[in-house]
Amino acid sequence: MFTRKTKSTIDSLIGMTTTIKGDVGFKGGLRIDGNINGNINAESGEPSVLVISEHAKVVGEVRAAHLIVNGEIVGDVHSTELLELQPKARITGNVFYKALEMHGGALVSGKLSHDQAVDTPVLKLAASSEA
């Protein structure tokens, strides 16, 4: 009755002294303080939060709904909701986002592309005289 789960809950942590070689899949929230050599994929269609801390380095493609970056990513980044690039963020690769928040000091070496697949309302004129 009173259970409520905020979407910013971190369920898992990859520590500073951890290095993972291979792809990582997750659901919910994940914080990375270590190194990952592989792709990181949140479960599609589900709310997800991925935090890449200032100590973390990811070499591979990253996909998540809400992504907070303060570390380094070498690879393409896909965020289906909000992408937050904090002051120490370094991305070498193309970035695809729906909403972007970029702090001073953050660097992106690649192309920034706004997600055009968002449902945009189409205006139709009521009294159209096309014949």
Side-chain angles (χ1 to χ4, degrees):
M1 178 172 163
F2 293 103
T3 58
R4 178 175 55 175
K5 185 171 181 168
T6 58
K7 68 180 205 176
S8 63
T9 301
I10 300 298
D11 301 313
S12 302
L13 168 69
I14 296 175
M16 284 178 58
T17 59
T18 303
T19 298
I20 295 176
K21 294 179 182 180
D23 294 346
V24 175
F26 75 98
K27 185 173 162 181
L30 172 64
R31 178 183 170 102
I32 299 173
D33 291 336
N35 297 312
I36 295 184
N37 293 320
N39 300 327
I40 303 172
N41 294 304
E43 188 171 310
S44 64
E46 296 289 324
S48 61
V49 177
L50 176 60
V51 178
I52 310 285
S53 81
E54 65 181 274
H55 307 291
K57 181 174 182 179
V58 176
V59 178
E61 186 176 77
V62 176
R63 292 180 179 268
H66 184 177
L67 179 58
I68 303 166
V69 181
N70 204 22
E72 184 179 359
I73 298 174
V74 179
D76 290 349
V77 174
H78 300 265
S79 174
T80 57
E81 286 181 19
L82 175 62
L83 172 61
E84 296 179 44
L85 299 179
Q86 295 183 342
K88 294 184 180 178
R90 304 288 181 264
I91 297 177
T92 304
N94 296 322
V95 176
F96 303 90
Y97 64 93
K98 181 176 178 181
L100 175 66
E101 180 180 320
M102 189 169 183
H103 295 251
L107 294 175
V108 175
S109 297
K111 185 171 69 171
L112 290 172
S113 298
H114 183 263
D115 183 12
Q116 299 296 329
V118 178
D119 294 332
T120 55
V122 177
L123 296 176
K124 293 184 181 181
L125 298 176
S128 179
S129 61
E130 262 183 62

